[in-house]
Every structure is written in C-alpha cells, then in structure tokens.
Amino acid sequence: DVQLQASGGGLVQAGGSLRLSCAASGFTLADYTTGWFRQAPGKEREGVSCISGSGGSTYYKDSVKGRFTISSDNAKNTVYLQMNNLKPDDTAVYYCAVDQITVETMCKIPPADSFRGQGTQVTVSS
C-alpha cells in the first residue's frame, strides 16, 4: 500500500518549536523530491520547503528561511521539517507531497496531481 503519513502538528505558543514528519510506505522517498506545503483557511496553498531525493538540494519559502529546516532520513524513509521560532502566521494545515521534479519547481509551482498525504494541523498562538 503506497502512503505518505504526515504527523507532528499541534498547538504551540509563538516562539515555540515543532517537528513534522513525513513517513513513506510502499515506495522509496529517496527516488522523489519531497515538499512540505501548507494551507490556512481562506488562503492559497503554498510551498514551504522542499528537498531532493538525495537530500543535496533544498528550497525554502522566504518567510521561513532561518527558522525551518528540512531534512531526510533514508533509513527511516522519512522527511522532517523542524520548525523553530514559530509565528501565528505559520498556522495552517501542513502536508507533504512527492513528485519527480526539481525542488524549486516543486515548491514554487507544485503540480496539482503530486502524490500527497493527509495534513497535520499546526496552530501557533500569540
């Protein structure tokens, strides 16, 4: 069964941290570019951070640079998003998706048909 499972969301105060996990089953994440996306109520979906299958290339949305770090663990077939110094504007449903395109394309122009998992809610209180 091919699945992407996102987890790690929750409620945190501004300035706090969370680590999101995107675990794959039924296929190998290292064969794909993985992206973290978010969508807040009334707002468009946006690419937050993306990483190549090899882990050697990453992309970050400007507003999260210096606060978020994307990483991959091939042994665990999992991609992580470490989120530090969280702000209320980071509040959204976060989900991960995979595709076979560059990290910049994945994050800037995410294909509508990329394989994705269910989302995890991140709520940052002020």
Side-chain angles (χ1 to χ4, degrees), residues 5-79:
Q5 182 77 32
S7 61
L11 173 63
V12 65
Q13 288 188 332
S17 299
L18 286 171
R19 188 178 79 157
L20 304 184
S21 298
C22 174
S25 58
F27 68 102
T28 302
L29 272 180
D31 293 337
Y32 297 86
T33 292
T34 301
W36 281 101
F37 302 86
R38 67 188 182 187
Q39 188 163 20
K43 294 186 178 180
E44 292 188 358
R45 175 183 61 161
E46 57 183 8
V48 176
S49 183
C50 296
I51 188 168
S52 62
S54 68
S57 182
T58 59
Y59 176 91
Y60 294 94
K61 177 181 172 60
D62 283 347
S63 62
V64 307
K65 285 181 181 177
R67 300 190 296 123
F68 291 10
T69 303
I70 193 169
S71 63
S72 59
D73 185 334
N74 290 340
K76 295 183 177 180
N77 210 22
T78 299
V79 168

Side-chain angles (χ1 to χ4, degrees), residues 72-113:
S72 59
D73 185 334
N74 290 340
K76 295 183 177 180
N77 210 22
T78 299
V79 168
Y80 302 99
L81 185 67
Q82 177 67 43
M83 307 187 295
N84 297 329
N85 191 21
L86 282 160
K87 303 177 180 181
D89 283 349
D90 295 319
T91 295
V93 175
Y94 285 69
Y95 66 93
C96 55
V98 297
D99 213 315
Q100 290 181 315
I101 52 179
T102 67
V103 294
E104 189 164 351
T105 300
M106 184 74 173
C107 265
K108 285 187 172 180
I109 316 172
D113 58 352

